[in-house]
Amino acid sequence: MKWLFAAVLVICLPCSVLAQESAMPDVAENEKPVLAVWPDGFLPPDARPVSDDRIAELKEQETEERVTYVERATLTVYEAPAETSNGCSVIVCPGGGYGILAWSKEGLELAEWFNSIGVTAFVLKYRVPRRDPERIHHEPLQDLQRAIRLIRSNAPQWNIDPDRIGVLGFSAGGHLTLMSGFHFDQNSYEPIDEIDQASSRPDYLCPIYAAYLGNDYRDDTAELGDLVNVTPRTPPTFMAVTADDKMRGAQAALLMARLIENEVPAELHVYSKGGHGYGIRPGANPVSSWHHRLEEWMRASGLLDKTEGG
């Protein structure tokens, strides 16, 4: 009955038929609603196909932990319990080098944790593997920009605040998170319906062990590439990384300096050990508690304040 009401609500929203279709639940994954990011039958005109033989090969490699092929982006919805929901929400972008998605460790497990602090989470299954070797984040950014607009346009459906929609991502997903915050004023696709009139600017960013911040997507040198375009409108940012993860800790420090220069509220935690790809699973190193620092930052920033409708 709850989702029947949600479906009626979406139909009543001032959106086109295409927009309504993309906001409707398609299937259930782990008993959670899954929404299509794009309207039925639509992909941006510049979408690059993957050969049938390659698709079959990728699907044979898929496991519960690893999503190896995505043609049409989806959002798995983890709605915060009504008694603890505070109106804040987040889109979680799993990592995987833009080749796969670390679906459980860097996706679903984070969504469950966010629910525990009253945050509604949407796990984005963006397009993989890489389609364009020169722009490895292009299709995923299209998916993420559309997802932000879709959630913002339909915020009342989940009792969330349209001005507290953040993005958190790991590794390649952390890079994607930052691209959404650096380039929200540039459409990665041509608008298709009324949903695309909504802003694609995230309200906060959480890149965790973000990769590819150097030119040519390098993360083995202490530099920031041309795509790292920080301005005073860059969303507030929380970062966590380790010093023994290639040069990603150094890149995060350089990014922190740019955020400070532009008076963007930001917090950076560089742990000495931990490497890469740990998610929020328990470990021997202090980095395994980074998400508790994130909760503290979100609370201090007012993101977890319960508001009317939350």
Side-chain angles (χ1 to χ4, degrees), residues 55-196:
I55 291 172
E57 177 186 354
L58 291 167
K59 287 185 175 180
E60 287 181 359
Q61 300 169 6
E62 192 156 302
T63 68
E64 290 185 2
E65 288 282 338
R66 294 162 52 96
V67 172
T68 56
Y69 173 71
V70 179
E71 176 63 23
R72 301 188 60 80
T74 62
L75 289 165
T76 302
V77 184
Y78 280 71
E79 195 168 358
E83 62 274 17
T84 58
S85 175
N86 50 45
C88 186
S89 64
V90 65
I91 300 172
V92 180
C93 301
Y98 289 122
I100 66 159
L101 300 178
W103 188 241
S104 297
K105 181 169 62 174
E106 297 179 351
L108 305 185
E109 292 174 14
L110 264 292
E112 292 177 354
W113 177 77
F114 272 115
N115 279 182
S116 76
I117 61 172
V119 176
T120 290
F122 302 83
V123 187
L124 178 62
K125 187 177 283 185
Y126 55 87
R127 278 173 283 172
V128 293
R130 307 174 180 189
R131 267 61 162 182
D132 185 345
E134 301 299 322
R135 300 185 300 169
I136 61 176
H137 71 287
H138 177 61
E139 286 87 353
L141 183 58
Q142 291 179 327
D143 295 338
L144 180 52
Q145 285 192 336
R146 174 70 181 186
I148 294 168
R149 290 166 168 150
L150 176 63
I151 294 168
R152 181 161 282 134
S153 297
N154 294 288
Q157 177 176 337
W158 300 288
N159 294 317
I160 60 176
D161 184 347
D163 297 322
R164 281 189 291 158
I165 301 171
V167 182
L168 178 147
F170 297 92
S171 191
H175 176 265
L176 180 59
T177 295
L178 288 169
M179 293 301 102
S180 74
F182 297 152
H183 303 289
F184 59 84
D185 56 348
Q186 302 169 21
N187 283 330
S188 59
Y189 63 93
E190 291 297 322
I192 59 174
D193 54 32
E194 292 186 16
I195 279 178
D196 289 327

Side-chain angles (χ1 to χ4, degrees), residues 20 22 180 247:
Q20 293 163 14
S22 63
S180 74
M247 294 299 285

